[in-house]
Amino acid sequence: MLEDYAKARKLGLKQVDRDVAHGLYPYPPALDDILKNQGYQGEVPVGLAEIDLSLIAGTKTRGRQNMFSSGFLPIAEASSEFASKWSDLIDSQRAEGLRDPIVVYEYLQRFYVQEGNKRVSVSRYLGMPTILASITRVTPMPSDEKALRAYHEFTRFYRVCPVYGIISSEEGFYARLAALLDQDLETPWPDELVRDLRSLFDGFSASFRARGGDALDLQVGDAFAHYISIFGFGQLRGLSPKEIDAQVEKIWGEFVVTQGEGARAYLEDPSAGHTAPLPKLKNLAKQAVLAKPFRVAFIYDRNPLSSGWISLHERGRIKLEERLGATVATHAFTDRSSDAAFDQAVDEAIEHGADLIVTCAPTQMRQALRAAAEHPGPAYLNCSVSLSHSAVRGFYGRMYEAKFLLGALAASLAEHHKVGYVAESPVFSTVAEINAFAIGAAMVDPHASVHLKWFSAKDHDWRRELREEGVHIISGRDYANPLAPKESWGLYRVEENGAETHLAEPVWKWGRYYEMLVRSIRNDTWKKEGEKIPGQSLNYWWGMSAGVLDVRLSEELPRGQRMLVDVLRQSVLSGRVHPFTGELRAQGGDVVQGPDAGRLTSEQIVRMRWLNENVVGRLPEQRELDRDGLVEVEVAGVIPVDPSTVLLKNTSR
């Protein structure tokens, strides 16, 4: 119908004008022109497949390029033979559909049309999502560029799961996607699984783009994998497009904050609202609301009797009840690492009117996100820092401040200028704690060296290694291990006879932390913070100045060392001293920043990947980590991991 052609041409001419105004090429690019500059290895027949029309980027040859806008809308004169054929084609499409496949060449997951340009144009005008195509793949020249490495991983994915459109430019993406579906990139996936994945992706892609996903700095494949990781593929199979769209709507904020490098805000000190008393009541309705206890559910992945970390939070929960009395009611759910056990705890917490749900491990973030999507209403917290999410806020402490003090103390006590540091896993903020300890040590003793070991490194005997290196002052775990009550922790000295003498330890004050967070929710500070910083993930990252962290010293320490720590503590509290201000040098003498530089940003501190020049040791590699370390690093690590080797399927439903 010529009337359709006139409308389509009008849209096409507008597109040309916009492209020209922005200095863009106004017609579909030709693959032959692209390959003339870049070259290619050869061509491989792929066969017939339904392809997403949004992936059609241009034509194979120059031919009739100037008959179309860059988006394949027609621009030839309405009186032309081309216009007549285009009109006949749209009539045929409406009456019978397009029966013959178009012929395309695929290059780097984009398609270039050799036969069927008008069919593509008509389908684009009608808003068709896909089109049947006969595909030939053009193999790019060998290169070590990141984009080509990612593309070669896609070709491995396509061999086992022939689905186009799930695009990501990140290395490791397809291995991670396979792991989310309990598959790999070596064995062909079951046909039913491939069909269900394609159907799910088509529904997700349509919803994502309809809501403005193309305007985000986020590839549709990355968004899709995030969607699956939250809900679990098993719960998504067979959903209708309407059901998929409803879920995308619930978690849309997650895509906004994870786009690009992730938009993260660090709230380093409590605002006045966190510690202020609850506002005076002005009416009976508010009285009724505040008369109801504020209910907090703590969902632990482990048990306080077996985990020192969970034991700290459990003591904080009890302290919260002591501080706020009858105005707060808390409940702890223990050993909820599996999805089924976690979801059961959430259901029970919601049934009992939970106002806040707290999770205490970064590995619980995915579960917390799903709970927040399925049960909006309560506030959700996860004890982590620098994970980009909107529905669940992170909270952690600036432990590097305490480690700075302990490093100075350690160096003042060490013989032969050597101190030891045993870290848990290479996750966000851990490297900053190591470096702050090392900088504190160097401040007291310029010749001090910090010998770094890892608890999560398998097949390593760090005690033997430190003993052989002549290290007697050691910073170990930050808290006692309930399963090994005689094991030393904090800062301690190994005596000549092998006995270990406790010297100091960092102190977490989770009760105070939780009290201020509860107050912030009840007096609307929590809500105002979210409104003030939209489009970013919020991370509470409080430190010694907020009273949530400190250092406790043994009474047996000499007076001079106690005075040293007290002076440094006051300097940190007042802001006169900061370990990451001024000249910083990494291992090998590499300059991180010069002597006149200010403090590193919160992001630079949390996501630190370099080690200070006086650290003897390195970050472990994936192959050196035990299973628990691997799982932690996969979620919030500072070293690269192959997700296909991290047993994500153990946390799926």
Side-chain angles (χ1 to χ4, degrees), residues 292-297 327-331 349 352-357 378:
K292 170 183 173 291
F294 186 90
R295 299 188 181 278
V296 187
T327 65
V328 66
T330 73
H331 184 78
H352 286 84
D355 300 292
L356 170 63
I357 294 178

Side-chain angles (χ1 to χ4, degrees), residues 345-395:
V346 171
D347 290 341
E348 186 174 336
I350 296 297
E351 183 180 349
H352 286 84
D355 300 292
L356 170 63
I357 294 178
V358 180
T359 51
C360 298
T363 50
Q364 293 178 290
M365 177 61 88
R366 178 185 61 82
Q367 296 168 321
L369 285 171
R370 188 179 66 251
E374 295 177 346
H375 302 284
Y380 290 84
L381 280 168
N382 177 259
C383 191
S384 61
V385 65
S386 200
L387 300 182
S388 298
H389 300 293
S390 69
V392 180
R393 297 189 188 183
F395 72 106

Side-chain angles (χ1 to χ4, degrees), residues 149-373:
R149 293 198 302 269
Y151 176 72
H152 287 309
E153 187 185 353
F154 161 73
T155 61
R156 292 177 58 207
F157 165 77
Y158 192 86
R159 281 196 293 271
V160 298
C161 178
V163 176
Y164 273 111
I166 309 178
I167 293 177
S168 172
S169 58
E170 294 300 315
E171 292 181 80
F173 167 80
Y174 294 100
R176 178 169 178 263
L177 178 63
L180 287 171
L181 276 66
D182 293 343
Q183 302 295 320
D184 56 40
L185 299 183
E186 306 300 328
T187 308
W189 298 7
D191 291 342
E192 184 180 5
L193 178 66
V194 174
R195 185 193 67 235
D196 289 348
L197 178 67
R198 182 185 291 113
S199 175
L200 179 64
F201 176 72
D202 288 345
F204 174 85
S205 178
S207 176
F208 182 74
R209 291 196 162 98
R211 294 180 180 279
D214 288 337
L216 299 179
D217 184 13
L218 182 67
Q219 294 275 23
V220 64
D222 296 314
F224 182 58
H226 191 42
Y227 169 62
I228 293 177
S229 72
I230 291 175
F231 292 104
F233 184 69
Q235 299 300 307
L236 299 174
R237 297 181 76 167
L239 292 185
S240 67
K242 184 177 180 180
E243 291 170 321
I244 294 170
D245 185 62
Q247 290 181 322
V248 172
E249 181 181 17
K250 290 179 182 178
I251 64 171
W252 185 255
E254 298 303 314
F255 304 134
V256 174
V257 301
T258 56
Q259 65 176 314
E261 296 297 319
R264 292 172 288 271
Y266 299 91
L267 307 178
E268 295 201 18
D269 289 292
S271 65
H274 285 92
T275 56
L278 297 177
K280 292 183 179 180
L281 303 177
K282 297 182 179 179
N283 53 55
L284 292 176
K286 284 189 176 181
Q287 284 183 341
V289 169
L290 293 183
K292 170 183 173 291
F294 186 90
R295 299 188 181 278
V296 187
F298 289 77
I299 304 180
Y300 303 137
D301 61 335
R302 302 184 184 186
N303 195 296
L305 299 178
S306 59
S307 167
W309 180 246
I310 298 304
S311 179
L312 290 176
H313 286 276
E314 177 63 3
R315 289 200 292 271
R317 179 187 71 83
I318 295 171
K319 183 66 70 174
L320 170 65
E321 288 190 334
E322 292 175 356
R323 286 174 175 270
L324 296 185
T327 65
V328 66
T330 73
H331 184 78
F333 299 87
T334 61
D335 296 311
R336 303 303 177 112
S337 60
S338 72
D339 279 2
F342 184 92
D343 292 348
Q344 184 181 26
V346 171
D347 290 341
E348 186 174 336
I350 296 297
E351 183 180 349
H352 286 84
D355 300 292
L356 170 63
I357 294 178
V358 180
T359 51
C360 298
T363 50
Q364 293 178 290
M365 177 61 88
R366 178 185 61 82
Q367 296 168 321
L369 285 171
R370 188 179 66 251

Side-chain angles (χ1 to χ4, degrees), residues 51-59 70-72 102 104 109-113 116-117 120 124 130-131 133:
I51 62 174
D52 193 325
L53 275 161
S54 66
L55 298 180
I56 296 180
T59 61
S70 59
F72 272 91
I102 62 173
V104 299
Q109 293 201 71
R110 295 296 187 274
F111 298 100
Y112 299 84
V113 184
N117 289 299
V120 170
R124 280 269 178 92
T130 63
I131 192 168

Side-chain angles (χ1 to χ4, degrees), residues 578-615:
H578 193 285
F580 300 121
T581 296
E583 184 175 18
L584 298 171
R585 289 181 178 271
Q587 289 175 329
D590 295 337
V591 177
V592 177
Q593 66 177 21
D596 298 326
R599 199 202 87 167
L600 294 180
T601 66
S602 300
E603 181 84 347
Q604 289 171 324
I605 295 172
V606 171
R607 292 178 163 253
M608 203 173 274
R609 287 176 167 84
W610 54 271
L611 292 171
N612 202 61
E613 60 181 343
N614 65 333
V615 174

